[in-house]
Amino acid sequence: MRSAEPVGHGALLAGMWNAARAQRLAHAFGFFGPPGVGKFLAAERLVLGLVCASGPGVPCLVCGACKRALAGTHPDVLVLDPVTQEVEEIYMSWITPRDEPDKEKRPPGGVALEEFLALRPLEGGWRAVLVREADRMGTEAQNALLKTLEEPGSDVLLVLESSRPERLLSTVRSRLVPARFAPLDRASVVSILRREGVDPGDLEELARWSRGAPGRALALASQSAGVIWNAVGRVLAGDLDPLEAAAALAEIEGEFPGRTPSAKARARARAVLDLAIEAVGDILRARAGASAERVAHPALAALSAAVPEARLEAGLERALEARQDVDANLDPALAVERVLLALAPPPAASTARRTVRTS
Ligand SMILES: [Zn+2]
């Protein structure tokens, strides 16, 4: 569990700790909002403040309970985190104990949620379960969780965090008290990036790209997003061969989660496609007259000024299809290649342009 203070969500947390002190805190929450705005960090903070010896309230971070929670060894805290575990799915065995022959699919701490909740609280306070990116539960896992959500127990707190709550079953969603998280203002994003040690020279650009989500800015920095966007822009402008670009992007360094090379390749392709989708969407928005602060990539818009709108739209459509192909386990490298080919000028046109440039 992380100790960093989530910026911009202090009032929400204070309200929840107050409710806990008055013994009227609800038992199941949905922390919903865009990715990277600090939803899960806030959930971690909430739990720290509940288990802290001086809580409920702002956690001291130094008492035994805080230290155990921070170290991941607090017996009354269970964190189901597919991001840290680098798995794409929250497996059924994480929720309900079952014989799971596949070691990869067993629950991270060896204990399923239902087993955990069957125990008495060992430190006498709350038993808390945090589920990160809860939308990564399949239907079976969600249905299993539903039983717990129907009768959580008087000392149980469940927080389901998700940027895509529409992927949760409506029966699950309806049992959660929703807490909505909004994007942060530019100054808050910059202060967080500075705290996280981002190079001062990159601060402004990352803050602009973040769309109010500092976690997203940090992910972009760790995934060489600037290099990827630059390649997309040059392919659009006919300045870089799409196949050459695809080959380079298939090798690009960065934090692409996955336990196996093929899982990493899939994660990398997803990142490239998401960034291409975002860039093209941004260019189309800029052309439609969006205000300057809503355009994250003015440089790309300028670079692709001569690109016909039909090509941008076709490329965007191809990219959205390719994104689904990657999720459906089709070859990630081919998916990226197809999109870059659709974004590049048709072969005849690019030859013509080259001739003009060299003459
Ligand atoms: Zn404490």
Side-chain angles (χ1 to χ4, degrees), residues 158-179:
L158 287 140
V159 181
L160 273 62
E161 179 268 332
S162 173
S163 311
R164 298 178 294 186
E166 70 283 356
R167 295 196 178 188
L168 294 173
L169 299 176
S170 58
T171 43
V172 168
R173 233 171 23 228
S174 67
R175 282 177 175 80
L176 303 173
V177 177

Side-chain angles (χ1 to χ4, degrees), residues 18-141:
N18 278 340
R21 273 199 299 276
Q23 296 188 318
R24 49 175 183 76
L25 184 67
H27 294 286
F29 288 89
F31 277 20
F32 301 147
V37 295
K39 302 186 296 300
F40 196 67
L41 198 59
E44 290 175 315
R45 188 80 172 177
L46 169 66
V47 168
L48 278 170
L50 286 180
V51 300
C52 175
S54 58
V58 174
C60 74
L61 306 179
V62 293
C63 73
C66 278
K67 280 187 183 155
R68 284 190 288 282
L70 286 169
T73 57
H74 196 294
D76 297 330
V77 178
L78 178 70
V79 179
L80 301 181
D81 181 353
V83 179
T84 307
Q85 294 302 314
E86 298 196 287
V87 291
E88 290 174 19
E89 202 182 321
I90 295 174
Y91 299 104
M92 176 68 174
S93 64
W94 292 23
I95 310 293
T96 301
R98 50 148 71 173
D99 264 340
E100 181 51 73
D102 190 346
K103 202 166 154 237
E104 296 259 294
K105 295 187 178 175
R106 290 185 201 153
V111 179
L113 179 145
E114 285 174 11
E115 285 172 294
F116 170 80
L117 288 180
L119 303 168
R120 298 273 80 212
L122 290 166
E123 300 205 5
W126 287 86
R127 280 173 303 159
V129 179
L130 301 183
V131 187
R132 189 174 193 175
E133 302 202 358
D135 49 86
R136 295 205 205 183
M137 281 185 289
T139 307
E140 197 190 17

